[in-house]
Amino acid sequence: VNDRLLTTNPRVFGVGDCCSAFKFTHAADFMARMVIRNALFFGSAKMSDLIIPYSTFTTPEVGSVGLYESDLKERGIAYKTFEKHFSENDRAICDDSTSGMVRIRVDAKSDKILGASIVGIGAGNMISEITLAMQTGTGLGKLSAVIHPYPTTASAIRVAEMVVVNKSMGKLRLVQPFDRPCVE
């Protein structure tokens, strides 16, 4: 299939596991919706435009979206990684669930989110907030300004309290409120 999920027969589309590297029900659902819009309503949506998160429901859970560090290195994309461990999160401490962390990868020269991984209880639920930020072009700086209820594990997404975007210089500057340095 091509990027619009058309097969070599212009009247036949393919969706789901048969034509995608993303073997997830939610990915197949969005591909089917895209095909309906493209076929019936003259849409022009492309598979390559979808930002598809996934979760692995293990113990601990793993949620991920976007590019991994290995993908970024392979593509030669300069990036910075920001990480916050649940051992530093009050809700995780109260729940005795301090294993895991939130890791967000951003463009080295801006705060554009390129990918994220969350490991820990509720990771599958938390990855959606980062997916929404990526889908809407919301940078890590603005994501950090979102007020989260306290105490919640989702507040760990606010790793961006370490980030200040200096727009006049066009550079990313780190502000480190924690003892542990950011990973780069």
Side-chain angles (χ1 to χ4, degrees), residues 37-57:
R37 283 191 307 272
N38 286 352
L40 301 178
F41 303 107
F42 307 104
S44 59
K46 297 184 290 185
M47 179 67 186
S48 60
D49 291 338
L50 296 179
I51 297 174
I52 301 174
Y54 77 87
S55 296
T56 305
F57 299 104

Side-chain angles (χ1 to χ4, degrees), residues 117-180:
S117 300
I118 302 174
V119 178
I121 292 177
N125 292 324
M126 286 190 281
I127 200 66
S128 295
E129 183 175 354
I130 298 170
T131 305
L132 176 63
M134 292 175 68
Q135 184 76 36
T136 60
T138 302
L140 190 56
K142 284 189 178 180
L143 184 60
S144 75
V146 173
I147 298 172
H148 291 80
Y150 177 85
T152 61
T153 52
S155 65
I157 292 171
R158 294 191 66 225
V159 297
E161 54 199 340
M162 297 180 266
V163 180
V164 174
V165 178
N166 183 336
K167 293 183 181 179
S168 64
M169 300 285 292
K171 294 183 180 178
L172 200 63
R173 193 176 93 229
L174 303 182
V175 177
Q176 183 60 39
F178 305 110
D179 296 330
R180 182 175 23 262

Side-chain angles (χ1 to χ4, degrees), residues 9-140:
N9 180 335
R11 295 180 177 188
V12 177
F13 292 85
V15 299
D17 293 1
C18 70
C19 66
S20 172
F22 299 100
K23 311 292 187 208
F24 309 116
T25 304
H26 56 281
D29 173 56
F30 269 79
M31 291 182 341
R33 292 168 188 272
M34 185 177 78
V35 164
I36 291 168
R37 283 191 307 272
N38 286 352
L40 301 178
F41 303 107
F42 307 104
S44 59
K46 297 184 290 185
M47 179 67 186
S48 60
D49 291 338
L50 296 179
I51 297 174
I52 301 174
Y54 77 87
S55 296
T56 305
F57 299 104
T58 54
T59 302
E61 274 183 36
V62 177
S64 192
V65 65
L67 300 172
Y68 290 102
E69 293 173 21
S70 58
D71 299 326
L72 294 165
K73 287 177 184 174
E74 185 178 295
R75 296 177 188 192
I77 299 171
Y79 68 96
K80 292 193 180 292
T81 300
F82 299 92
E83 194 171 282
K84 178 111 179 229
H85 291 259
F86 288 125
S87 61
E88 300 167 341
N89 177 275
D90 289 344
R91 178 60 182 258
I93 293 167
C94 289
D95 290 345
D96 197 27
S97 299
T98 57
S99 296
M101 49 86 194
V102 173
R103 181 179 291 164
I104 302 176
R105 295 168 290 281
V106 301
D107 182 86
K109 294 181 181 175
S110 70
D111 68 342
K112 179 182 179 184
I113 301 170
L114 302 173
S117 300
I118 302 174
V119 178
I121 292 177
N125 292 324
M126 286 190 281
I127 200 66
S128 295
E129 183 175 354
I130 298 170
T131 305
L132 176 63
M134 292 175 68
Q135 184 76 36
T136 60
T138 302
L140 190 56

